[in-house]
Each structure stands twice: as structure tokens, then as C-alpha cells.
Amino acid sequence: MLVAAAVCPCPPLLVPEVAAGAAPELEDARTACADALGVLAAARPGLLVVVGPGDGAEPATHPEGARGSFRGFGVGLDVRLGRDRDTPQGPPLPYGLAVGAWLLGRAGRTDTPVEGLAVGEELTAARCAGLGRDLAARADRVALLVLGDGSACRTLKAPGYLDERAEPFDAAAGRALGAADGRALAALDPGTARELKVSGRAPWQVLAGAAEGADLAGTVLYEDAPYGVGYFVATWS
């Protein structure tokens, strides 16, 4: 059963070593993420699953100890998912899960088992919800760390340029996250999300499925669009 969730953005710029001189610009977001992870720890889950955007047409699981890297961003920084396990060499963590692993490492060591799930934009809302329900059934007390960004089309200088639909889409997502409204998250249109370059749609809809039947309250800790990309930090508990 899902007992808590933290929703965080996943730009590599969240990692100060990647952001370099621009690191102070996202310090408020980092602080909010740390607070959100504190809510997860307080829930004392028996299993923590990190859910983030992936590239494949099928969901990809990553075991505890799986490794990721920010070397592709010019930084010699490696991370691992949860505790250091003797994990067979597998595919590296996608960037979203690597940011999640970095956030967990920054929060401090935990004895809670940790796993990763990457979901791509090709997955339908129904498929994402089904994955979420499966995760919630994995243990008596399940927590999710959900990584994903809103639209990358919020301003003229945004990665996807300006799209007038971006701000209303992000506003609807923000309201759903703040109200722990799984139905509203499940209703986000995958096609529109793809056009608006929203990396969080599929992970958020996994959360919606996991939260079915759970009595959770939502709180938004941070909401902004630096660099023209919608970033949200929220908790469900």
C-alpha cells in the first residue's frame, strides 16, 4: 500500500556540480526536494521505488545498487541507487533516476530497500496506472520518489520554445499534485504532454495508479519555471 510519495523535478542542473556557476538559481528547489524526502523517511516505508522518465517503449526496472553518471554532462560524478550492492553490471540509470539517486544520496544513508522504474512517454495512462497499482501491492508500506518535469515550453527561451498551452497544462498538473488528485493526473493527455515536452506525465500517472484507494493529502512545496521549464516539488502523505 502506498503510504507516502515525494514528487521532484529531475533536471541534471539540480546537481550543483552540473550547474556550476548557475547552482544558486535552483537552491530553493533543492531545499524543497530535501524537505520532500524527509516526508518519505518519516513514513517509514518498507520499500522505496524511484520512478522517473525513461527512453524505451517498455518500462525498465533497475535494482538496488544500479549506477548512473553525470559524465555525459561534463562532470565526473557517479551515483548509485540506494545501498551499494553487488549488482551485476546492467544499463546505466537514465538521467531522471540518476537525479533521484543523487537526491537520495544527499539525504543520507537509509536501510530501506530501494528500486528504480523508468517509464517512457509512449506508455498510455492506463498502462502507467497499472504499473502504479503493481508497485503499491509490493509491500505493506510503499513509498515513491517520483521524478519528472512539467512543460519545457513555458517561455521564448525554453528548450521547446513558447507554447501557449504550456502554462495551463502545468497549472492543472500543479493543482493535481497539490490536491493528491490521482484522477486529475490520470486525465493528463499523453499526446499533449509529448508536444509540450513534459517528462513527468508518465511518472505522475504511475503515482496516480499507486495512490488508488489510499487516503493521502498533498502539499506543493515548490512550483516555478526557471529556464522556461515547469518544476514541481510536492508530497503526498
Side-chain angles (χ1 to χ4, degrees), residues 7-81:
V7 176
C8 295
C10 58
L13 287 174
L14 203 61
V15 180
E17 291 88 340
V18 175
E25 297 176 16
L26 289 181
E27 191 56 37
D28 287 347
R30 292 186 196 97
T31 299
C33 288
D35 292 343
L37 264 64
V39 171
L40 293 187
R44 305 178 70 86
L47 173 66
L48 172 61
V49 183
V50 183
V51 182
D55 297 324
E58 289 296 315
T61 58
H62 296 267
E64 187 162 30
R67 296 183 178 274
S69 173
F70 295 97
R71 296 178 185 273
F73 299 95
V75 175
L77 176 63
D78 299 320
V79 294
R80 67 174 183 270
L81 191 63

Side-chain angles (χ1 to χ4, degrees), residues 3-4 14 83 130 156 202 212:
V3 295
L14 203 61
R83 294 170 290 185
L156 291 173
E212 290 181 9

